[in-house]
């Protein structure tokens, strides 16, 4: 079982221009012999690579328990009960909706025509269940992205499925008027269907009217404003910094500029100093401040920590990277790892690099605060 999150992947490519050359987002192609592999993460109590959980960014045992029951029995009722007991406005509901949708989507891909029957039954047997409609809408969005051709071209199926998703979003919104989730799902629909800016901004207004500090919603909207979709580097940066500026203390929205930087990383970085640049450093510091002031149980906290590991390792800030790793190790279902064919593998190499750099600068398991 693997849960799908809208994620990106990155990689590290060894070269003669320093300890490593940072290249495309597709994965770690080569690690220089000696340093990372010589370090032993086991000394720090980290899980072995094969034990890392790629399904979630952090622990949510209630969700995992329910998913196991649902997928084993094909009975949708435990999923409905869990969502009914999950607050509407919070990040946790959005993440659980995405998780159920991803599980059904993966099932269907593995067993065409049969997999994910529990979701179809949920919708047909409980048509007034807002949770079922939300999961169905998110499921359709994920199915649309699965319909893309290998070269990333949008197919007719892509648009048809997203049009259906938009319809289901409307149904879900009517079933739970105060719930932001249907509108957050539609943000991905709007990106895929290329909503004009006024239409997208109208949709965004409905989201922030219901959940003004929702980090998952801001991440979904950020994609629309990125250069590879319907905006630009400047538009994405403007959106991210505006959200960070109005974020109250304790909000992870202060980390949004780091996600904007990540979305616009150059395909090839030939100089290590890029990761010590003012733009990157400010974004990293904003994210560090956010994680230090956030609630320990914030569902998005692990997402930010995972992205910080990438930037801190690339910036050679070994001690700070290690401080993030001890708090997230065990779960790797988050960007930047999960679009790689081997999320646990790419995470493990970054972890080993952090350990090696930490030890090379005098660190040890005994000096690492927990």
């Amino acid at each position: 079982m693997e849960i799908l999150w809208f994620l990106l992947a990155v990689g590290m490519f060894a070269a003669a221009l320093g300890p490593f050359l940072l290249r495309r987002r597709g994965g770690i192609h080569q690690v220089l012999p000696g340093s990372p592999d010589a370090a032993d993460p086991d000394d720090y109590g980290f899980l072995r690579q094969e034990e890392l959980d790629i399904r979630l960014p952090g622990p949510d045992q209630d969700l995992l328990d329910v998913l196991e029951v649902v997928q084993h029995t094909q009975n949708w009722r435990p999923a409905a009960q869990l969502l009914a007991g999950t607050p509407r406005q919070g990040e946790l509901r959005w993440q659980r909706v995405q998780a159920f949708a991803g599980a059904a989507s993966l099932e269907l891909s593995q067993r065409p025509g049969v997999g994910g029957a529990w979701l179809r039954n949920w919708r047909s047997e409980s048509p007034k269940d807002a949770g079922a409609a939300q999961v169905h809408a998110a499921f359709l969005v994920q199915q649309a992205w699965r319909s893309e051709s290998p070269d990333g071209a949008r197919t007719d199926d892509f648009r048809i499925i997203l049009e259906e998703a938009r319809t289901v979003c409307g149904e879900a919104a009517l079933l739970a008027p105060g719930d932001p989730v249907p509108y957050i799902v539609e943000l991905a629909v709007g990106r895929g269907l290329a909503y004009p800016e006024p239409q997208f901004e109208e949709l965004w207004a409905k989201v922030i009217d219901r959940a003004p500090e929702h980090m998952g919603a801001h991440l979904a909207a950020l994609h629309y404003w990125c250069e590879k979709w319907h905006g630009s580097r400047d538009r994405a940066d403007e959106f991210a910094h505006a959200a960070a500026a109005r974020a109250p203390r304790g909000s992870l929205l202060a980390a949004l500029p780091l996600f904007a930087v990540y979305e616009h990383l150059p395909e090839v970085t030939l100089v290590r100093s890029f990761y010590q640049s003012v733009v990157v450093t400010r974004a990293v510091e904003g994210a560090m401040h956010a994680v230090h002031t956030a609630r320990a149980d914030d569902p998005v906290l692990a997402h930010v920590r995972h992205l910080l590991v990438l930037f801190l390792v690339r910036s050679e800030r070994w001690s700070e990277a290690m401080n993030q790793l001890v708090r997230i190790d065990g779960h790797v279902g988050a960007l930047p790892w999960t679009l790689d064919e081997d999320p646990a593998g790419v995470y493990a190499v970054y972890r080993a690099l952090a350990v090696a750099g930490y030890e090379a600068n005098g660190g040890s398991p005994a000096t690492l605060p927990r």
Side-chain angles (χ1 to χ4, degrees):
M1 178 180 64
E2 178 180 347
I3 295 175
L4 305 176
W5 305 90
F6 41 23
L7 308 158
L8 300 165
V10 292
M12 196 167 289
F13 191 65
L17 294 176
F20 43 80
L21 170 67
L22 302 174
R23 193 170 169 79
R24 296 184 181 276
R25 297 187 178 188
I28 296 181
H29 302 283
Q30 180 182 354
V31 179
L32 285 177
S35 58
D37 290 336
D40 187 0
D42 288 346
D43 293 342
Y44 294 84
F46 294 142
L47 292 184
R48 295 182 180 276
Q49 180 177 328
E50 61 272 18
E51 297 173 329
L52 295 169
D53 191 330
I54 66 173
R55 298 170 296 178
L56 294 173
D60 185 349
Q61 195 58 49
D62 288 342
L63 172 65
L64 293 179
D65 290 344
V66 167
L67 268 172
E68 183 176 354
V69 171
V70 168
Q71 295 191 303
H72 179 70
T73 65
Q74 293 296 297
N75 180 358
W76 53 266
R77 286 173 179 81
Q81 185 177 10
L82 182 65
L83 281 187
T86 305
R88 290 182 178 181
Q89 263 62 39
E91 305 280 352
L92 189 59
R93 183 178 182 86
W94 165 242
Q95 293 197 19
R96 287 176 170 176
V97 165
Q98 290 289 98
F100 284 127
S105 180
L106 183 63
E107 277 188 47
L108 185 59
S109 71
Q110 294 173 337
R111 295 181 292 144
V114 179
W118 56 270
L119 177 55
R120 295 191 291 276
N121 294 338
W122 188 5
R123 279 289 275 156
S124 63
E125 295 172 18
S126 188
K128 300 299 184 182
D129 188 326
Q134 292 170 10
V135 174
H136 185 202
F139 165 82
L140 289 169
V141 169
Q142 296 192 24
Q143 287 299 105
W145 257 267
R146 284 182 179 272
S147 73
E148 286 183 309
S149 61
D151 62 359
R154 307 290 182 262
T155 63
D156 289 341
D157 284 348
F158 178 81
R159 185 169 191 87
I160 291 169
I161 297 171
L162 284 184
E163 291 284 4
E164 183 180 357
R166 177 161 59 183
T167 299
V168 178
C169 285
E171 296 171 0
L174 290 174
L175 291 170
D179 196 326
V181 169
Y183 301 100
I184 299 173
V185 176
E186 193 180 348
L187 292 172
V189 174
R191 174 164 53 98
L193 294 180
Y195 280 12
E197 287 187 16
Q199 183 180 359
F200 190 83
E201 288 173 342
E202 182 180 353
L203 172 62
W204 179 240
K206 294 177 181 177
V207 174
I208 61 173
D209 183 55
R210 291 160 175 80
E213 298 169 24
H214 200 291
M215 182 67 169
H218 281 78
L219 290 172
L222 177 65
H223 284 87
Y224 179 91
W225 297 113
C226 286
E227 187 174 64
K228 62 185 176 184
W229 285 99
H230 310 295
S232 65
R233 185 187 303 265
D234 288 343
R235 295 296 295 274
D237 190 64
E238 178 184 355
F239 174 82
H241 278 87
R246 65 173 181 268
R249 180 177 175 80
S251 169
L252 286 167
L253 287 176
L256 200 61
L258 186 64
F259 287 83
V261 170
Y262 175 72
E263 291 288 346
H264 295 91
L265 285 178
E267 287 294 311
V268 178
T269 306
L270 296 176
V271 290
R272 292 163 55 196
S273 60
F274 173 82
Y275 288 92
Q276 284 91 33
S277 66
V278 172
V279 170
V280 173
T281 299
R282 285 179 177 171
V284 168
E285 292 304 324
M288 294 282 283
H289 172 75
V291 300
H292 288 152
T293 59
R295 298 188 334 266
D297 63 347
D298 191 312
V300 187
L301 184 56
H303 287 278
V304 179
R305 291 192 188 278
H306 279 286
L307 190 62
L308 272 170
V309 168
L310 167 78
F311 279 93
L312 292 170
V313 168
R314 290 185 171 190
S315 302
E316 301 181 18
R317 295 167 64 168
W318 312 115
S319 179
E320 291 164 299
M322 292 295 290
N323 278 315
Q324 300 304 318
L325 284 165
V326 297
R327 289 165 173 80
I328 58 172
D329 194 72
H331 296 84
V332 295
L335 81 161
W337 326 120
T338 48
L339 277 189
D340 193 273
E341 293 181 357
D342 182 11
V346 72
Y347 165 84
V349 174
Y350 271 87
R351 185 178 65 183
L353 285 165
V355 171
Y358 182 65
E359 292 183 349
N361 286 274
S364 72
T367 61
L368 183 64
R370 297 277 177 169

